[in-house]
Protein backbone atom coordinates (compact mmCIF):
# COMPACT_ATOMS: atom_id res chain seq x y z
CA UNK A 1 0.00 0.00 0.00
CA UNK A 2 1.07 3.59 -0.58
CA UNK A 3 0.49 6.78 1.39
CA UNK A 4 1.16 10.45 0.67
CA UNK A 5 1.73 13.30 3.08
CA UNK A 6 1.62 16.91 2.01
CA UNK A 7 3.26 18.75 4.83
CA UNK A 8 1.56 22.13 4.40
CA UNK A 9 -2.18 22.59 4.08
CA UNK A 10 -1.84 26.24 3.08
CA UNK A 11 1.04 28.24 1.61
CA UNK A 12 0.63 32.02 1.19
CA UNK A 13 3.26 33.83 -0.87
CA UNK A 14 3.69 37.14 -2.61
CA UNK A 15 3.80 37.44 -6.37
CA UNK A 16 7.24 36.81 -7.92
CA UNK A 17 8.49 35.05 -4.78
CA UNK A 18 9.76 31.44 -4.94
CA UNK A 19 7.62 28.65 -3.53
CA UNK A 20 8.06 25.03 -2.49
CA UNK A 21 5.17 22.65 -1.83
CA UNK A 22 6.32 19.60 0.05
CA UNK A 23 5.29 16.00 -0.57
CA UNK A 24 6.52 12.81 1.09
CA UNK A 25 5.35 9.33 0.29
CA UNK A 26 5.72 5.80 1.56
CA UNK A 27 5.56 2.63 -0.46
CA UNK A 28 6.94 -0.89 -0.36
CA UNK A 29 7.35 -0.92 -4.15
CA UNK A 30 8.69 1.50 -6.70
CA UNK A 31 6.12 4.10 -7.63
CA UNK A 32 5.19 6.68 -10.17
CA UNK A 33 4.71 10.22 -8.84
CA UNK A 34 2.37 12.99 -9.93
CA UNK A 35 1.40 16.55 -9.11
CA UNK A 36 -2.12 17.63 -9.99
CA UNK A 37 -3.50 21.19 -9.79
CA UNK A 38 -7.10 22.20 -9.14
CA UNK A 39 -8.15 25.74 -9.99
CA UNK A 40 -11.32 27.09 -8.33
CA UNK A 41 -14.51 25.38 -9.54
CA UNK A 42 -12.59 22.99 -11.80
CA UNK A 43 -11.46 19.39 -11.78
CA UNK A 44 -7.89 18.21 -11.31
CA UNK A 45 -5.34 18.71 -14.09
CA UNK A 46 -2.04 16.87 -14.34
CA UNK A 47 0.82 19.31 -13.77
CA UNK A 48 3.79 16.96 -14.07
CA UNK A 49 4.82 13.37 -13.52
CA UNK A 50 7.85 11.28 -12.68
CA UNK A 51 7.96 7.85 -14.27
CA UNK A 52 11.67 7.05 -14.62
CA UNK A 53 14.92 8.56 -15.79
CA UNK A 54 15.90 12.10 -14.80
CA UNK A 55 14.81 12.86 -11.26
CA UNK A 56 13.99 16.47 -12.15
CA UNK A 57 10.78 16.95 -14.10
CA UNK A 58 9.33 20.21 -15.38
CA UNK A 59 5.93 21.52 -16.41
CA UNK A 60 5.20 23.94 -19.23
CA UNK A 61 4.29 26.76 -16.84
CA UNK A 62 7.54 26.88 -14.87
CA UNK A 63 6.94 24.38 -12.07
CA UNK A 64 9.45 21.64 -11.41
CA UNK A 65 9.60 18.69 -9.05
CA UNK A 66 12.49 16.53 -7.97
CA UNK A 67 12.19 12.87 -7.07
CA UNK A 68 14.40 12.01 -4.11
CA UNK A 69 14.32 8.29 -3.50
CA UNK A 70 16.41 8.30 -0.32
CA UNK A 71 14.14 10.89 1.29
CA UNK A 72 10.99 9.53 -0.37
CA UNK A 73 10.05 13.04 -1.42
CA UNK A 74 8.69 14.74 -4.52
CA UNK A 75 8.60 18.44 -3.68
CA UNK A 76 7.15 20.94 -6.14
CA UNK A 77 8.95 24.24 -6.74
CA UNK A 78 8.61 27.41 -8.77
CA UNK A 79 11.23 30.17 -8.70
CA UNK A 80 8.74 33.01 -9.28
CA UNK A 81 4.98 32.62 -8.83
CA UNK A 82 2.13 34.52 -10.47
CA UNK A 83 -1.32 35.43 -9.25
CA UNK A 84 -2.68 32.85 -11.69
CA UNK A 85 -0.86 30.05 -9.83
CA UNK A 86 -3.36 30.40 -6.99
CA UNK A 87 -4.92 26.93 -6.75
CA UNK A 88 -4.90 23.73 -4.75
CA UNK A 89 -2.09 21.30 -5.52
CA UNK A 90 -2.26 17.55 -4.97
CA UNK A 91 0.63 15.12 -4.85
CA UNK A 92 -0.21 11.55 -5.85
CA UNK A 93 1.56 8.21 -6.13
CA UNK A 94 0.73 5.13 -8.12
CA UNK A 95 2.15 1.65 -8.02
CA UNK A 96 2.63 0.32 -11.54
CA UNK A 97 -0.37 -1.37 -13.02
CA UNK A 98 -0.01 -4.72 -14.68
CA UNK A 99 -1.78 -6.51 -17.47
CA UNK A 100 -5.53 -6.60 -17.53
CA UNK A 101 -8.21 -4.51 -15.98
CA UNK A 102 -8.02 -5.50 -12.33
CA UNK A 103 -4.61 -3.95 -11.71
CA UNK A 104 -5.12 -0.47 -12.99
CA UNK A 105 -2.43 1.33 -10.99
CA UNK A 106 -4.42 2.93 -8.18
CA UNK A 107 -3.66 6.60 -7.49
CA UNK A 108 -3.26 7.63 -3.86
CA UNK A 109 -3.59 11.36 -3.22
CA UNK A 110 -2.30 13.63 -0.50
CA UNK A 111 -4.61 16.03 1.32
CA UNK A 112 -3.73 18.96 -0.91
CA UNK A 113 -1.91 22.26 -0.41
CA UNK A 114 -3.71 25.52 -1.09
CA UNK A 115 -1.29 27.97 -2.69
CA UNK A 116 -2.42 31.59 -2.45
CA UNK A 117 -0.40 34.18 -4.33
CA UNK A 118 -0.86 37.75 -3.09
CA UNK A 119 -0.08 40.87 -5.15
CA UNK B 1 -16.97 18.00 -26.50
CA UNK B 2 -13.49 17.05 -25.47
CA UNK B 3 -11.96 15.42 -22.41
CA UNK B 4 -14.19 14.41 -19.54
CA UNK B 5 -17.55 16.09 -19.03
CA UNK B 6 -19.88 15.90 -16.04
CA UNK B 7 -23.50 16.89 -15.63
CA UNK B 8 -25.02 18.55 -13.78
CA UNK B 9 -22.32 20.90 -12.47
CA UNK B 10 -24.40 21.75 -9.41
CA UNK B 11 -27.13 19.75 -7.69
CA UNK B 12 -29.21 20.46 -4.61
CA UNK B 13 -31.37 17.64 -3.35
CA UNK B 14 -33.37 16.64 -0.33
CA UNK B 15 -32.67 13.50 1.64
CA UNK B 16 -35.64 11.67 0.11
CA UNK B 17 -34.85 12.51 -3.52
CA UNK B 18 -33.38 10.23 -6.18
CA UNK B 19 -30.97 11.77 -8.65
CA UNK B 20 -28.16 10.68 -10.96
CA UNK B 21 -24.79 12.15 -11.84
CA UNK B 22 -23.50 11.62 -15.35
CA UNK B 23 -19.95 11.43 -16.65
CA UNK B 24 -18.83 11.06 -20.25
CA UNK B 25 -15.30 10.72 -21.54
CA UNK B 26 -14.31 11.53 -25.13
CA UNK B 27 -10.74 10.23 -24.86
CA UNK B 28 -11.22 6.62 -25.90
CA UNK B 29 -10.23 5.40 -22.45
CA UNK B 30 -11.27 2.07 -20.98
CA UNK B 31 -11.29 2.84 -17.25
CA UNK B 32 -13.48 5.29 -15.33
CA UNK B 33 -13.54 6.41 -11.71
CA UNK B 34 -15.75 8.19 -9.18
CA UNK B 35 -14.08 10.24 -6.45
CA UNK B 36 -15.57 12.19 -3.55
CA UNK B 37 -13.83 15.43 -2.57
CA UNK B 38 -14.85 16.83 0.80
CA UNK B 39 -13.41 19.89 2.46
CA UNK B 40 -10.12 19.26 4.27
CA UNK B 41 -10.02 15.57 3.33
CA UNK B 42 -7.98 13.68 0.72
CA UNK B 43 -9.76 12.59 -2.41
CA UNK B 44 -11.69 9.43 -1.68
CA UNK B 45 -11.82 6.85 -4.42
CA UNK B 46 -15.36 5.46 -4.52
CA UNK B 47 -15.65 3.18 -7.54
CA UNK B 48 -13.51 2.01 -10.44
CA UNK B 49 -14.66 0.45 -13.69
CA UNK B 50 -11.91 -1.02 -15.83
CA UNK B 51 -12.65 -2.72 -19.14
CA UNK B 52 -16.32 -2.30 -18.21
CA UNK B 53 -16.03 -4.35 -15.02
CA UNK B 54 -16.32 -2.87 -11.56
CA UNK B 55 -12.92 -3.57 -10.03
CA UNK B 56 -13.10 -1.46 -6.91
CA UNK B 57 -15.85 -0.53 -4.50
CA UNK B 58 -14.33 1.24 -1.53
CA UNK B 59 -16.84 0.47 1.20
CA UNK B 60 -19.20 3.05 -0.18
CA UNK B 61 -22.71 3.15 1.38
CA UNK B 62 -25.40 1.51 -0.70
CA UNK B 63 -27.19 4.84 -1.16
CA UNK B 64 -24.55 5.40 -3.89
CA UNK B 65 -25.00 3.09 -6.87
CA UNK B 66 -22.67 3.26 -9.90
CA UNK B 67 -23.51 2.20 -13.42
CA UNK B 68 -21.17 1.89 -16.39
CA UNK B 69 -23.18 0.97 -19.50
CA UNK B 70 -20.15 1.31 -21.81
CA UNK B 71 -16.57 2.50 -21.69
CA UNK B 72 -17.53 6.12 -22.41
CA UNK B 73 -20.27 6.65 -19.84
CA UNK B 74 -20.44 6.44 -16.09
CA UNK B 75 -23.34 7.23 -13.79
CA UNK B 76 -23.69 7.62 -10.05
CA UNK B 77 -27.24 7.02 -8.85
CA UNK B 78 -28.11 8.71 -5.57
CA UNK B 79 -30.96 7.96 -3.20
CA UNK B 80 -31.82 8.82 0.42
CA UNK B 81 -28.58 10.73 0.88
CA UNK B 82 -27.43 12.35 4.11
CA UNK B 83 -26.18 15.92 4.61
CA UNK B 84 -22.65 14.59 5.14
CA UNK B 85 -22.74 13.37 1.54
CA UNK B 86 -22.52 16.98 0.38
CA UNK B 87 -19.25 17.25 -1.55
CA UNK B 88 -17.68 17.66 -4.97
CA UNK B 89 -17.98 14.43 -6.95
CA UNK B 90 -15.27 14.00 -9.53
CA UNK B 91 -15.19 11.61 -12.43
CA UNK B 92 -11.95 10.55 -14.09
CA UNK B 93 -10.85 8.26 -16.89
CA UNK B 94 -7.64 6.58 -17.96
CA UNK B 95 -6.31 4.04 -20.41
CA UNK B 96 -5.47 0.62 -18.97
CA UNK B 97 -3.48 -1.56 -21.37
CA UNK B 98 -5.00 -4.94 -22.06
CA UNK B 99 -1.73 -6.67 -22.80
CA UNK B 100 1.19 -7.34 -20.51
CA UNK B 101 3.61 -4.81 -19.16
CA UNK B 102 3.98 -2.22 -16.45
CA UNK B 103 2.09 0.98 -16.97
CA UNK B 104 1.32 4.14 -15.14
CA UNK B 105 -2.14 5.43 -14.51
CA UNK B 106 -2.55 8.99 -15.78
CA UNK B 107 -6.08 9.96 -14.94
CA UNK B 108 -7.98 12.75 -16.64
CA UNK B 109 -10.59 14.49 -14.50
CA UNK B 110 -13.90 16.14 -15.22
CA UNK B 111 -14.90 19.45 -13.62
CA UNK B 112 -17.00 17.76 -10.96
CA UNK B 113 -20.57 18.00 -9.70
CA UNK B 114 -21.06 20.11 -6.58
CA UNK B 115 -23.70 18.23 -4.56
CA UNK B 116 -25.58 19.75 -1.65
CA UNK B 117 -27.90 17.56 0.40
CA UNK B 118 -30.43 19.45 2.50
Amino acid sequence: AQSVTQLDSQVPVFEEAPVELRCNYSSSVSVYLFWYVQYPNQGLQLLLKYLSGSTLVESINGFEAEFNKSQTSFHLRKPSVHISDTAEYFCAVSAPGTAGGTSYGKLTFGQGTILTVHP
Amino acid sequence: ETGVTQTPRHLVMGMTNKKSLKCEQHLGHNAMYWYKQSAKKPLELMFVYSLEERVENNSVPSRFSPECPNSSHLFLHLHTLQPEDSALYLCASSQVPKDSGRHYNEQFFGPGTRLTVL
Side-chain angles (χ1 to χ4, degrees):
Chain A
Q2 295 83 41
S3 68
V4 180
T5 302
Q6 290 183 242
L7 297 160
D8 306 293
S9 59
Q10 297 192 53
V11 174
V13 294
F14 287 107
E15 196 172 17
E16 298 184 6
V19 71
E20 178 180 80
L21 307 184
R22 296 179 292 169
C23 172
N24 287 94
Y25 70 93
S26 68
S27 177
S28 57
V29 299
S30 62
V31 294
Y32 301 125
L33 296 154
F34 306 84
W35 275 99
Y36 281 83
V37 59
Q38 184 178 32
Y39 298 103
N41 301 313
Q42 295 186 28
L44 277 68
Q45 303 173 31
L46 182 66
L47 187 61
L48 45 75
K49 59 181 180 278
Y50 170 78
L51 306 178
S52 65
S54 172
T55 57
L56 185 66
V57 291
E58 298 177 355
S59 72
I60 58 173
N61 58 353
F63 283 94
E64 63 180 31
E66 186 161 19
F67 169 55
N68 188 319
K69 188 174 182 180
S70 63
Q71 297 185 10
T72 59
S73 68
F74 191 54
H75 300 331
L76 181 69
R77 302 183 183 96
K78 189 170 184 180
S80 176
V81 294
H82 302 289
I83 299 285
S84 59
D85 293 323
T86 294
E88 189 162 15
Y89 292 79
F90 294 90
C91 182
V93 301
S94 167
T98 55
T102 58
S103 180
Y104 56 91
K106 179 180 177 179
L107 274 179
T108 301
F109 287 88
Q111 292 186 297
T113 298
I114 297 174
L115 173 65
T116 305
V117 181
H118 298 284
Chain B
E1 292 278 12
T2 58
V4 181
T5 58
Q6 290 187 244
T7 54
R9 293 292 310 276
H10 300 272
L11 178 63
V12 179
M13 60 187 288
M15 289 191 285
T16 59
N17 292 156
K18 289 185 181 182
K19 296 287 184 183
S20 295
L21 309 185
K22 179 183 175 182
C23 176
E24 185 172 359
Q25 60 95 1
H26 309 269
L27 300 168
H29 289 164
N30 57 13
M32 297 187 77
Y33 311 77
W34 278 119
Y35 288 88
K36 177 182 179 183
Q37 186 179 25
S38 305
K40 300 182 181 179
K41 286 186 178 181
L43 267 71
E44 299 174 50
L45 180 63
M46 301 175 71
F47 301 104
V48 181
Y49 279 83
S50 181
L51 302 174
E52 299 180 31
E53 285 188 44
R54 192 191 306 181
V55 297
E56 185 138 357
N57 180 340
N58 262 355
S59 303
V60 179
S62 59
R63 56 186 183 268
F64 295 92
S65 174
E67 179 189 359
C68 188
N70 55 60
S71 60
S72 299
H73 294 86
L74 184 65
F75 295 90
L76 188 62
H77 303 300
L78 317 170
H79 64 98
T80 59
L81 294 190
Q82 304 298 312
E84 60 264 30
D85 297 323
S86 298
L88 182 68
Y89 289 84
L90 292 166
C91 173
S93 71
S94 71
Q95 182 64 17
V96 176
K98 299 176 186 176
D99 53 7
S100 63
R102 287 161 57 100
H103 67 276
Y104 68 95
N105 187 353
E106 180 174 341
Q107 295 183 18
F108 293 77
F109 286 80
T113 295
R114 174 69 63 187
L115 174 67
T116 303
V117 182
L118 302 176

